[in-house]
Amino acid sequence: MQTVLGAGGPIADELVNELHRNHTKDIRLVSRKPTRVNDTDELVAADLTDPDATRRAVAGSDIAYLTVGLPLDSQLWEGQFPVMMRNVIDACAEHGTKLVFFDNTYMYPGTPTPQTELTTFTPGGRKGRVRGQIATMLLEALRAGRVEALIGRAPEFYGPGRTTSYTNSLVFDRIKVGKRPFVPVNPHAKRSLIWTPDASRALALLGNTPDAYGQTWHLPVDPDRKSYAQLIEIAGEATGRKIGYTVLPLLAFRLGRRFVKPLDEMYELLARYRDDNIFDSSKFTARFPDFQVTSYREGAERILTG
């Protein structure tokens, strides 16, 4: 049995598809209101902030994938993510279940220095501190021998369907409906973006690779990084029209965050849009050289023409 904790999002749904295609048909989906991706999926309704419900959800699982996402709300993150991580670690320890944690990069410094699996956590805000805290909780449990686990860490998403990210909402979603895209801070900074189906395929592969455990892995991105200006140029080629863009300067966020909550929640992340963002996934590529990574051109074309 392989169990997805936090089912229902684009990462989780594609993870379930990949597990079903290539690894196992014995899959359990856990969320507050889970729905099947495949006819054979087992559904368990559970609130992972409840330790008893979490133990029941994990029971009988060989591998559990923690893929829970929460709205970008610092207070909500502080109140729920540490509780969920503690409950999931405890449940996996009790049942002898391997744990695969899908993580992000909010705890990394917003500098152009390449980010590797050894990059020190230096968060620039509340959400980054929470992500650093829960990753550290898992690493400490791993070092103490309480659980067998791995971390699969991903940079910002872009992707098809219901993918939610700043890149999708500000750039590609607006282009799709004929609107002018918005670019945060610097249109010429190189971006490290992960194609959501690639992230899910890589997570499933790691979870089913015994020697991947006990480590942190950067999930694979196309190393030929593009700036937003270049991505918009690709979008123009894909749609056959000239597309301009509007830059949202740092000052706009600084002023607007006092009145608009989403701008306030995004503010701590803006350093990674100011300069090149170099997320290094060469460790994964070296271990899994046959893994096919979606290029930025292919991804942009699939979003806009698919």
Side-chain angles (χ1 to χ4, degrees):
M1 170 74 69
Q2 300 197 23
T3 295
V4 178
L5 304 171
I11 293 292
D13 283 354
E14 187 57 39
L15 170 62
V16 173
N17 279 327
E18 180 66 14
L19 291 174
H20 190 268
R21 280 191 300 262
N22 292 312
H23 300 287
T24 181
K25 303 295 190 291
D26 193 10
I27 302 170
R28 177 185 295 161
L29 307 186
V30 179
S31 69
R32 292 174 185 267
K33 295 180 179 179
T35 58
R36 285 185 177 84
V37 177
N38 305 290
D39 291 342
T40 55
D41 296 338
E42 176 188 344
L43 304 183
V44 173
D47 176 356
L48 298 181
T49 64
D50 180 332
D52 292 331
T54 305
R55 283 196 292 270
R56 290 194 297 271
V58 170
S61 304
D62 300 306
I63 304 170
Y65 300 83
L66 181 56
T67 64
V68 173
L70 292 175
L72 284 174
D73 181 313
S74 297
Q75 185 173 355
L76 185 66
W77 283 34
E78 291 165 345
Q80 293 195 12
F81 268 138
V83 175
M84 286 191 284
M85 178 58 82
R86 181 173 61 249
N87 290 344
V88 170
I89 290 172
D90 289 346
C92 288
E94 177 179 336
H95 294 293
T97 300
K98 294 180 179 180
L99 177 56
V100 177
F101 175 41
F102 180 64
D103 198 9
N104 70 22
T105 63
Y106 285 11
M107 74 292 288
Y108 284 163
T111 69
T113 302
Q115 300 165 349
T116 73
E117 289 85 353
L118 299 178
T119 294
T120 301
F121 295 173
T122 54
R126 294 170 67 185
K127 290 183 291 298
R129 284 192 288 273
V130 172
R131 298 303 301 199
Q133 178 187 357
I134 61 176
T136 300
M137 288 171 64
L138 180 54
L139 291 171
E140 289 176 348
L142 177 63
R143 286 192 289 266
R146 292 196 63 212
V147 291
E148 189 173 359
L150 67 84
I151 294 174
R153 184 165 291 139
E156 184 181 338
F157 304 157
Y158 80 116
R162 296 179 296 116
T163 298
T164 55
S165 69
Y166 291 124
T167 296
N168 268 60
S169 62
L170 295 178
V171 180
F172 291 118
D173 290 351
R174 294 182 63 83
I175 292 172
K176 285 182 71 172
V177 297
K179 293 182 178 180
R180 189 178 179 90
F182 293 134
V183 174
V185 187
N186 182 358
H188 302 295
K190 297 292 185 182
R191 306 293 304 136
S192 292
L193 304 171
I194 193 164
W195 181 248
T196 48
D198 286 357
S200 300
R201 289 192 301 116
L203 205 65
L205 178 58
L206 287 169
N208 287 277
T209 302
D211 66 9
Y213 285 84
Q215 304 176 61
T216 296
W217 297 85
H218 278 187
L219 301 181
V221 301
D222 178 3
D224 183 20
R225 297 168 185 83
K226 305 296 185 187
S227 67
Y228 279 132
Q230 291 172 312
L231 289 172
I232 292 167
E233 182 178 353
I234 291 171
E237 294 169 1
T239 58
R241 67 179 194 267
K242 185 173 178 59
I243 302 173
Y245 56 84
T246 298
V247 178
L248 301 178
L250 188 60
L251 179 61
F253 288 94
R254 187 177 295 125
L255 296 175
R257 65 183 299 214
R258 294 180 291 178
F259 311 103
V260 181
K261 184 174 175 57
L263 294 181
D264 185 43
E265 293 293 348
M266 189 178 182
Y267 190 77
E268 74 174 81
L269 307 175
L270 291 179
R272 67 192 61 215
Y273 295 92
R274 181 184 58 216
D275 300 309
D276 290 350
N277 177 243
I278 309 299
F279 178 85
D280 182 347
S281 56
S282 58
K283 173 182 173 180
F284 183 96
T285 302
R287 176 60 182 82
F288 303 102
D290 295 330
F291 188 96
Q292 295 297 308
V293 176
T294 302
S295 71
Y296 292 113
R297 178 172 294 276
E298 180 185 356
E301 291 175 348
R302 286 176 60 183
I303 292 171
L304 296 170
T305 63

